[in-house]
Amino acid sequence: MMGLPSLALTGFGPTGWGAQLLWAAGMTVAVSVTAFAIGLAIGGLGAWAKLSGGRVAGWLATAYTTVLRGVPDLLVIYLFYFGGSQVLTSIGRWMGHDGFVGLNGFTAGALAVAVVSGAYQTEVIRGAVGAVSRGQGEAGRTLGLSRWRVLRHVLAPQILRAALPGMGNVWQLVVKESALISVTGLVELLRQVSVAAGSTREPFLFYVTGAALYLVITSMSGALFQAAERHSRRGWTAAR
Amino acid sequence: MIDPAFLTDTIGQLLGGLPLTLSLSAISILAGGVLALALALLRRSSGIGSLFVRAYVFVFRGSPLLVQIFLIYYGLSQFPALRHSVLWPFLRQPYWCAVLALALNTAAYASEIIRGGLIAVPSGMIEAGRALGLSPFRLFRLIVLPLAVRQALPAYGNEIVIMVKSTALASIITLMEITGIAHQIIGDTFRSFEVFLCAGAIYLALNSLIARGVWLIERRLSPIV
């Protein structure tokens, strides 16, 4: 039954799951940040391949974004979790180690979500690069700046400004997708909530608490992204 | 390395889950679409209705779909009142829990897409309709809705593809659709890469058919310029 005693279950008292839930929420943030960072690197590479890589690189990048955006994320997580252990085991056997080598849930899950988010990130970055006019880079070169300084001081800030809203969306996607990593047994927020729900027989209370904690994570990080967007636009809207 | 007999056998087994994937997608997209239209219209009203829709969208877009599925599948059965109600024959089945969660979830995203379409209807068109003496209902039915649908269609097409992919989560609450069967085959054979290849190909084929269909409707609804 729902009532006041059951609320103590989500608190920090002796019967409360508060500390475990907070720890698990931290794990969700950690796995999401890892996946987002790797996905960002993949996205940069993918955008480069699509924009100025050769024909083969461009084709590979298109195949990558098409497949990863058209296939359920859960399948990708299964591929990395089961397939990763398979690859590690055969590498181990090749190196003379007999027996099963498992890929842990954190690594497999973060890699899987990274590869999925990298596909979305590729499109975000590609669009942002396209939004900055060619003349900007040429003007920088005319001023005698080196290629690196043109990228660092002229192009990158403008690309980032155009890409930030899209990156914010990808981040939200990553946080929500990280819940699927619970199928690997990694004790992130959803897994911890499920365990608590099972052992207290209060599934409604704990899943509502879990949903609320996800809302806290997504809305707080959303505010952070909005602040970053404002910062990247400073002096820009006024000047137009 | 790659064993063609295994691939064709796997594809055959996975296709057994296609009807379930399709029915989960179709029912939740249809129900979610109707709910989304109602939410989008309520969002335009002033006061409490609009506030409710904003809270609804915030909650369903800000939390993972899997949490919503678990909340409905495991959470609702906790209440004796619900277990004794007329809804119980439905909500005791994982199938209807999945459909309910998917429909409520897509309604949040789709209501924002439809809202965008409604905003994009030029005010001159509405004024012209009013000047012709159309009743509010006929104005909506004959002018606002068709223009909004045309405007919202590309984004709605994306949402449909996302929904088809999302039905994979139903496998976590025991439904043996394509991904559920894929998981089972991986567990039996440990050939995750081949199984991923087969299941991925089915989803990609399905999604490109949908994208093509949406594109055809878009073309049909576009005025000749």
Side-chain angles (χ1 to χ4, degrees):
Chain A
M1 277 305 291
M2 294 281 290
L4 268 181
S6 67
L7 280 179
L9 289 172
T10 51
F12 291 90
T15 57
W17 288 76
Q20 284 97 321
L21 291 179
L22 267 191
W23 176 259
M27 182 60 86
T28 283
V29 172
V31 79
S32 302
V33 167
T34 312
F36 184 78
I38 302 172
L40 200 59
I42 300 176
L45 206 66
W48 169 80
K50 280 200 175 186
L51 288 168
S52 52
R55 231 165 131 179
V56 181
W59 186 84
L60 279 176
T62 306
Y64 162 66
T65 53
T66 311
V67 170
L68 270 296
R69 292 193 306 165
V71 161
D73 320 313
L74 189 57
L75 267 182
V76 182
I77 291 179
Y78 287 151
L79 175 70
F80 274 79
Y81 186 54
F82 295 107
S85 304
Q86 235 172 306
V87 169
L88 282 184
T89 305
S90 43
I91 290 176
R93 194 167 300 149
W94 182 67
M95 287 177 25
H97 172 83
D98 241 12
F100 182 77
V101 187
L103 190 58
N104 69 44
F106 188 97
T107 315
L111 280 178
V113 175
V115 166
V116 174
S117 72
Y120 290 94
Q121 207 73 269
T122 298
E123 301 298 337
V124 168
I125 297 174
R126 188 175 70 131
V129 170
V132 177
S133 85
R134 268 194 121 73
Q136 295 281 331
E138 284 161 13
R141 293 289 284 159
T142 316
L143 285 170
L145 296 174
S146 68
R147 272 182 181 282
W148 163 248
R149 284 165 71 90
V150 166
L151 183 66
R152 167 74 187 80
H153 294 289
V154 181
L155 296 178
Q158 299 192 67
I159 292 172
L160 197 62
R161 182 176 63 209
L164 264 173
M167 285 179 180
N169 287 339
V170 175
W171 164 254
Q172 301 280 338
L173 199 83
V174 165
V175 172
K176 287 181 274 172
E177 228 155 70
S178 76
L180 301 190
I181 301 175
S182 62
V183 300
T184 68
L186 177 74
V187 186
E188 42 65 78
L189 189 48
L190 180 55
R191 183 82 195 162
Q192 185 66 74
V193 163
S194 296
V195 169
S199 63
T200 58
R201 294 173 189 274
E202 289 280 358
F204 190 80
L205 175 73
F206 276 101
Y207 285 119
V208 166
T209 308
L213 285 172
Y214 275 109
L215 284 173
V216 169
I217 295 174
T218 50
S219 51
M220 272 173 59
S221 51
L224 224 63
F225 265 96
Q226 268 176 8
E229 272 176 49
R230 262 200 308 278
H231 180 74
S232 76
R233 278 200 312 261
R234 67 198 182 280
W236 189 63
T237 25
R240 251 158 69 105
Chain B
M1 264 305 260
I2 284 186
D3 171 7
F6 179 73
L7 290 185
T8 45
D9 182 47
T10 302
I11 290 245
Q13 286 188 54
L14 290 172
L15 283 176
L18 185 62
L20 189 52
T21 292
L22 287 178
S23 88
L24 280 169
S25 311
I27 298 180
S28 55
I29 287 166
L30 283 176
V34 173
L35 184 57
L37 183 60
L39 287 172
L41 292 176
L42 198 58
R43 175 76 163 75
R44 279 154 72 90
S45 72
S46 54
I48 193 100
S50 163
L51 207 68
F52 166 76
V53 177
R54 272 154 74 172
Y56 179 92
V57 170
F58 172 73
V59 168
F60 278 91
R61 292 208 308 183
S63 61
L65 173 57
L66 193 53
V67 175
Q68 294 156 21
I69 292 177
F70 283 173
L71 185 59
I72 290 171
Y73 183 58
Y74 296 113
L76 290 184
S77 61
Q78 190 181 333
F79 300 102
L82 196 100
R83 280 206 304 275
H84 296 123
S85 75
V86 286
L87 291 173
W88 187 236
F90 288 100
L91 289 176
R92 62 187 290 187
Q93 294 175 44
Y95 179 85
W96 290 107
C97 288
V99 166
L100 182 61
L102 287 166
L104 292 176
N105 182 271
T106 186
Y109 289 89
S111 78
E112 288 291 287
I113 294 171
I114 296 174
R115 189 169 76 95
L118 289 174
I119 289 172
V121 175
S123 56
M125 299 272 185
I126 298 169
E127 281 160 22
R130 270 204 204 110
L132 284 171
L134 292 177
S135 67
F137 176 74
R138 280 167 62 88
L139 182 71
F140 182 75
R141 152 96 186 68
L142 296 174
I143 294 173
V144 177
L145 195 60
L147 288 169
V149 165
R150 173 64 193 87
Q151 184 68 34
L153 205 56
Y156 210 109
N158 282 339
E159 178 59 21
I160 292 175
V161 168
I162 291 173
M163 280 306 287
V164 171
K165 293 197 298 172
S166 298
T167 58
L169 299 192
S171 67
I172 298 180
I173 54 169
T174 73
L175 292 171
M176 293 308 270
E177 43 64 75
I178 297 172
T179 302
I181 296 174
H183 185 216
Q184 195 179 39
I185 302 175
I186 293 175
D188 290 344
T189 63
F190 289 105
R191 296 165 87 161
S192 44
F193 185 70
E194 286 105 315
V195 177
F196 174 80
L197 220 60
C198 297
I202 297 175
Y203 279 107
L204 278 181
L206 194 56
N207 286 336
S208 56
L209 273 178
I210 292 168
R212 177 82 190 163
V214 171
W215 182 78
L216 283 176
I217 300 173
E218 253 176 63
R219 217 180 48 167
R220 252 187 84 89
L221 291 182
S222 299
I224 302 143
V225 183

